[in-house]
Amino acid sequence: MSTIQKDFEERIEENELLNCMRCGFCLPACPTYIETKSEIHSPRGRIALMKAVRDGDIDSYEQVEESLNVCLGCRACEPACPAGVNYGHMLEEARAIFQEHNKPSIKEKTVRKTVFKQLFPNQKRMEQATSLLSFYQKSGLQKTSRKLGILKLFPKHMQQMEKALPQVSKAERSADTVFKAEGDTKATVAMFRGCLMDTMFHETNQSTIKLLNKAGCDVVVPNTQNCCGALHGHSGEKEGALDLAKKNIQAFEDVECDYIITNAGGCGAFLHDYHYLLRHDSIWSERAKEFVDKIVDFSSILIKLGFIDQHNLQVSPQYVTYQDSCHLRNVMGVYKEPRALIQAVQGGSLVEMEKADSCCGSAGIYNITQPDMSMQILDHKMKHVEKTYAQTIITSNPGCLIQMRLGIEREGKSDSMRAVHLADYLLEALVN
């Protein structure tokens, strides 16, 4: 028996694998199956491969690992599954097993160490990286690089992604950790700020806090919180994810609050899964459950506290469409609330796009690690967007936001179309 097979036996439950009835309800929900029409790139096909590894029916794992890596991890198969198979949990455990047994090249080892151990878990370094991006954008270096054609040394989708990155503000971070409600306090909430959201999308975090204040929330922002660990968990870096989860639980245990608020679908879903991640830890499992019970997306709390009834919302006349964050919808079950908020904005006509609930191809860093499949999915997504005639694409996750901006660049529509986070759109509607 190989060590990989042994780990599959010990760490991936046979009953969970057997829950898959091979019925095929997952197939029309799976973006990679839709694109390839190949069973090895479907949820039931990947589950069959995982079971074959566990049973010892496969002794060469290259195709299995490739199939798992091509998966977006969007988890659209889970709400489509009549048997309630927890595909996402098995996917991440299988990736972790392969990663632990791989012998990476020096280059891969260096990249992983830099990204997963030195950059994302360290907020100061994230801020430094964002400052470098700000300098690149505002110093004239960006214009010079484009003029000299330096970016042509990179793949085409990377050139377009450079244009899709937000204009980063170098504004001073507030020293405040408590932001008081406007009027009577209806709830005290703790804000999960995220690593990307509090650096590259810092203004969106500020928008979220202002909306919560206007809804009657005292907002507390714990200083000791860290990256949620989603990128670690999705990339097989399980130990890193466990470490970050424990630090975040500790950080929010020190705050008295009614809810823990997120404004990034990917972060929220991973935080929501902390109880599963720490299920075998006798010290942390109950603490994780108490933490998870307080996780709420900001759109849900705005609806709960009657934000729509309290405020007049208006924008200039425009068609808007909403792109679901996969993890916000498929894991946290939030999809009605963002639409209710968007529909409450006068002047903005919501036009539902076909397959708004299907992945845009971002999936964390998937658009970097699997660029061909990602761009294929994005190009099909943009065809659905075009049919809505929308001038504004709204979403609720930073990765989706960058991906939709990338789609706009690829279609050459940056002069007539924009992509914005829901929080920024709602604050814009309040200002106007």
Side-chain angles (χ1 to χ4, degrees), residues 43-149:
R44 72 177 180 183
R46 292 182 177 110
I47 290 173
L49 289 173
M50 284 187 261
K51 187 175 185 304
V53 173
R54 193 183 191 281
D55 293 344
D57 295 333
I58 293 179
D59 54 14
S60 177
Y61 304 126
E62 186 176 341
Q63 187 180 47
V64 180
E65 193 171 4
E66 180 190 359
S67 174
L68 298 179
N69 288 339
V70 171
C71 179
L72 290 147
C74 68
R75 296 171 72 167
C77 52
E78 292 184 12
C81 178
V85 174
N86 292 309
Y87 171 81
H89 294 159
M90 290 190 290
L91 171 70
E92 291 186 359
E93 196 65 55
R95 282 177 171 173
I97 292 170
F98 279 120
Q99 181 57 36
E100 289 163 18
H101 287 277
N102 279 346
K103 294 181 179 179
S105 64
I106 294 175
K107 179 182 177 181
E108 182 183 350
K109 190 182 293 185
T110 301
V111 170
R112 280 186 170 267
K113 182 179 179 181
T114 301
V115 172
F116 296 119
K117 295 183 179 180
Q118 297 177 346
L119 182 58
F120 281 97
N122 190 311
Q123 194 68 7
K124 288 292 182 184
R125 287 182 182 145
M126 287 293 294
E127 290 175 8
Q128 289 167 358
T130 305
S131 294
L132 288 174
L133 176 59
S134 177
F135 175 78
Y136 170 74
Q137 291 175 332
K138 297 176 181 179
S139 66
L141 188 58
Q142 184 179 52
K143 290 182 180 178
T144 301
S145 297
R146 291 176 178 177
K147 188 175 180 180
L148 295 176

Side-chain angles (χ1 to χ4, degrees), residues 11 42 53 70 81 93 108 112 124 180 217-218 257 271 273 289 300 330 369 383 413:
R11 293 163 56 177
S42 73
V53 173
V70 171
C81 178
E93 196 65 55
E108 182 183 350
R112 280 186 170 267
K124 288 292 182 184
K180 300 297 291 184
C217 293
D218 285 343
C257 63
L271 297 172
D273 269 354
K289 187 178 184 303
S300 298
N330 300 327
T369 60
K383 290 179 181 178
K413 295 185 178 295

Side-chain angles (χ1 to χ4, degrees), residues 319-391:
Y319 290 116
V320 304
T321 194
Y322 181 69
Q323 167 61 30
D324 284 283
S325 157
C326 293
H327 288 95
L328 183 61
R329 181 173 183 129
N330 300 327
V331 180
M332 297 183 71
V334 176
Y335 58 94
K336 292 180 181 178
E337 294 89 334
R339 288 171 168 82
L341 289 165
I342 294 168
Q343 288 173 327
V345 178
Q346 299 177 40
S349 300
L350 176 63
V351 183
E352 283 283 355
M353 78 168 90
E354 183 183 349
K355 296 184 177 180
D357 58 345
S358 69
C359 188
C360 63
S362 171
I365 57 173
Y366 186 92
N367 51 12
I368 297 174
T369 60
Q370 301 285 337
D372 292 341
M373 181 62 73
S374 176
M375 294 305 103
Q376 192 172 322
I377 291 170
L378 176 59
D379 289 345
H380 287 160
K381 173 66 66 177
M382 291 308 297
K383 290 179 181 178
H384 297 315
V385 171
E386 287 179 19
K387 291 178 183 177
T388 68
Y389 297 100
Q391 290 96 32

Side-chain angles (χ1 to χ4, degrees), residues 25-39:
F25 276 85
C26 60
L27 300 183
C30 176
T32 55
Y33 176 77
I34 292 170
E35 296 295 335
T36 66
K37 295 297 185 290
S38 171
E39 277 286 355

Side-chain angles (χ1 to χ4, degrees), residues 237-253:
E237 297 283 342
K238 187 176 180 180
E239 289 304 312
L242 287 166
D243 182 56
L244 290 167
K246 292 173 184 177
K247 288 179 179 177
N248 282 323
I249 291 169
Q250 180 68 63
F252 284 87
E253 281 178 340

Side-chain angles (χ1 to χ4, degrees), residues 219-232:
V219 181
V220 183
V221 185
N223 270 333
T224 54
Q225 62 180 291
N226 291 269
C227 167
C228 69
L231 287 179
H232 295 73

